[in-house]
Amino acid sequence: MGTQRGLTSRRRLLLGLGAPLLLGAAGLGYAVWPEEESAEKVRTDVGPLNRRFWTALGDVSDAHWLGYNIDESDSERTVPGPDVRMRLVGTAHLKRGSANRITRDPAHHFEVKPLSAVPGPLQPYIPASAGWRQSDTYDKRALEEGLNVVPSGTFSFDGIRDLVYFDFVFYYA
């Protein structure tokens, strides 16, 4: 009977120590578990950008961008309605010399313009000394080819860094 009592005491001791350790491990696991993606998660994949903008820009690299439904908050994840407005905004590098080639095209009058309303998560990827150039005619021509949606927005180019900043809303009706 003495050995039985010793086993019971050890089990109680292990249970008494094990339960708090398990709860602590579960709490730590919850604290470090990755959160769901939101509109604020900066994406770096270039596939969607190359498919969307290839005719206007060619292949891009080193991208930092956001893509989200501007009419849906993070708390109301629902089935999209018939009218969806998706915003694509971010930066990407172009092939060497592409930004200068685009901005020197005489068919478009590019002007120096500052960027407007850069989302907070993208601020670290926007060079402070960039000389952004925009052209309304370039934006219109670049976006009319091969799209089955109504886009609005701008491309801005920095020729020194071969960098493009894009900010578009695509309306899917």
Side-chain angles (χ1 to χ4, degrees), residues 59-63 91-101 103-104 115 123-133 156-165:
D59 287 329
V60 299
S61 63
D62 192 31
T91 65
H93 280 93
L94 304 172
K95 288 186 178 178
R96 188 179 192 119
S98 294
N100 281 328
R101 181 184 45 77
T103 57
R104 290 185 180 149
L115 300 179
Q123 291 287 341
Y125 309 105
I126 306 296
S129 62
W132 298 108
R133 300 176 62 83
S156 300
F157 297 95
D158 175 36
I160 295 172
R161 294 169 187 82
D162 275 315
L163 194 63
V164 61
Y165 177 83

Side-chain angles (χ1 to χ4, degrees), residues 19-129:
L21 287 174
L22 278 173
L23 286 173
L28 180 63
Y30 178 77
V32 299
W33 192 264
E35 295 180 25
E36 287 186 32
E37 285 193 30
S38 71
E40 300 297 308
K41 174 133 173 62
V42 176
R43 295 178 61 173
T44 57
D45 52 326
V46 296
L49 301 178
N50 283 331
R51 284 189 298 276
R52 172 76 61 197
F53 300 133
W54 189 85
T55 58
L57 304 173
D59 287 329
V60 299
S61 63
D62 192 31
H64 297 92
W65 62 284
L66 303 171
Y68 56 93
N69 182 339
I70 63 174
D71 296 319
E72 180 181 90
S73 71
D74 284 342
S75 63
E76 56 179 54
R77 300 246 181 233
T78 61
V79 175
D83 299 327
V84 177
R85 294 185 306 159
M86 295 297 295
R87 182 179 186 199
L88 294 179
V89 57
T91 65
H93 280 93
L94 304 172
K95 288 186 178 178
R96 188 179 192 119
S98 294
N100 281 328
R101 181 184 45 77
I102 291 169
T103 57
R104 290 185 180 149
D105 185 342
H108 309 290
H109 179 69
F110 278 87
E111 298 175 352
V112 175
K113 291 184 183 176
L115 300 179
S116 61
V118 175
L122 294 175
Q123 291 287 341
Y125 309 105
I126 306 296
S129 62

